[in-house]
Amino acid sequence: MAVDYAVIIVYLAGMLAMGWWGMRRAKSKSEFLVAGRRLGPWMYSGTMAAIVLGGASTIGGVGLGYQYGLSGAWMVFTIGLGLLALSIFFSARIARLKVYTVSEMLDLRYGGRAGLISGVVMWAYTLMLAVTSTIAYATIFDVLFDMNRTVAIILGGTIVVAYSTLGGMWSITLTDMVQFVVKTIGVLLLLLPIAVIKAGGFSEMKAKLPTEYFDPLGIGGETIFTYVLIYTFGMLIGQDIWQRVFTARTDRTARWGGTVAGTYCLVYAIAGAVIGTAAKVMYPKLPSADAAFATIVKDELPVGVRGLVLAAALAAVMSTSSGALIACATVANNDIWSRLRGAVTRSGGEEHDEVKGNRAFILIMGVAVIAIAIALNNVVEALTVAYNLLVGGLLVPILGGLLWRRGTAAGALAAVSVGGLAVIGLMATYGILANEPVYYGLLSSLAAYVIVSLATKPTDAAVLTAWRERLAGRGADSDETPAADPVAV
């Protein structure tokens, strides 16, 4: 295992080096939080794909393939569909707003009264997303070093917190680009063909497994529908995803770069399901479906390649973890803390002072994430709570603001409050993992938004005019208009 250890250690050291390099580049709020809004199409595509394809998509995607066969691809496939929908229909408008958070967008659209409560909901979502990603380090480091769970979480979490705190979005962008390359080589180009060959090829896989393993809808229609509600719609509104859209140099980059990333996700989904199906042939009686990835890597891959594939899994977890962490810190600082202390948005030279504040919030949130990850055992439940709150509480007011002119601030607040409370109450009634909370929570949020919006005074014409100006790319601060950057290709 010495060669495998060396590969992992070099990879982790490289992540820290990227953080140090990013620190030298992040000199303003815009540079620190959204990489100066100057990423070109290649970097944008790679980093966007990296953040949405985390440990759940890699380890979990293979596990679903082990359990259900090719239809196990649906979870990651719906993530790709969500990214495609966001990129094609909304990303250009989002990029032109030149904001930092989803709540700032809601303030612009509804007149400055919807941000705090939406910020609290978004903060809870990004916090849980960061926590679940951090817990995944335990699985990977256990395979690598037979390491204690708590020590593994602290080690992986500390590295992510370190490079994220140092350079903000620049460090995360650079590390995500490396992680994208490592995942592509490790999972798609190495693990996928090796797994299929070791399983005897597709003909042998079909001969040894039940026919439902090759049914594209074998996982069940209701499950697929729930994946669409949670993951496809979740991709449309998550702060972690929007913050990457804000990094695009132009709205064209956001649209086409995101489309490439979404297409990559669809391929990655199928690859994970095929690897899991192959693992089922080789190891038909594993104690847990989620053990399929680690088992096939540990037992079937040659020295060196095994280290690279485990680095790919680590890359998947780190990219999601760092993206969720900076999103969580950005929301906590800009949407909650700044409002509670009555701060106004700074501009010009004072923006440099805000780098320290955002860096401090990443460090604080990072420590909190590590502590919660150590205390928490059920990853699936935590992630389900996060996505249920996000979709049930924020989907309607966000998409309503983008698509329906008659939506009002009162309607948006009602949608967030009613949808969020409905989701919490229904999870208590039906259980956290039940489908009903997100179904009925979303419907109640939609009903509240429409009824209250129609019953209240329309949004002020001046607010809507300013909103349309920002959607058209006018009215944002001129000093945030990105220049060409040779690094951000």
Side-chain angles (χ1 to χ4, degrees), residues 87 92 142 325 372 441-442:
S87 302
D142 178 56
L325 176 59
I372 295 170
L442 189 55

Side-chain angles (χ1 to χ4, degrees), residues 6 8 13 59-60 70 73 170 184 268 273 332 353 356 369 401-402 442 444 462 468 483:
I8 297 295
I59 299 171
L70 299 186
W170 266 123
T184 301
Y268 200 88
D353 299 331
K356 282 186 179 180
V369 163
L402 289 169
L442 189 55
S444 63
R468 287 194 295 270

Side-chain angles (χ1 to χ4, degrees), residues 12 127-163 314 317-318 321-322 325 365-379:
L12 294 176
L127 179 71
M128 284 298 100
L129 186 62
V131 166
T132 54
S133 301
T134 303
I135 290 173
Y137 297 129
T139 301
I140 299 169
F141 283 116
D142 178 56
V143 174
L144 278 170
F145 307 116
D146 193 24
M147 188 178 289
N148 174 270
R149 177 182 183 274
T150 298
V151 175
I153 289 172
I154 292 173
L155 175 60
T158 299
I159 292 171
V160 169
V161 171
Y163 73 69
L314 197 57
V317 175
M318 282 187 160
S321 180
S322 59
L325 176 59
M365 291 297 107
V367 172
V369 163
I370 293 172
I372 295 170
I374 292 171
L376 201 63
N377 289 319
N378 198 314
V379 181

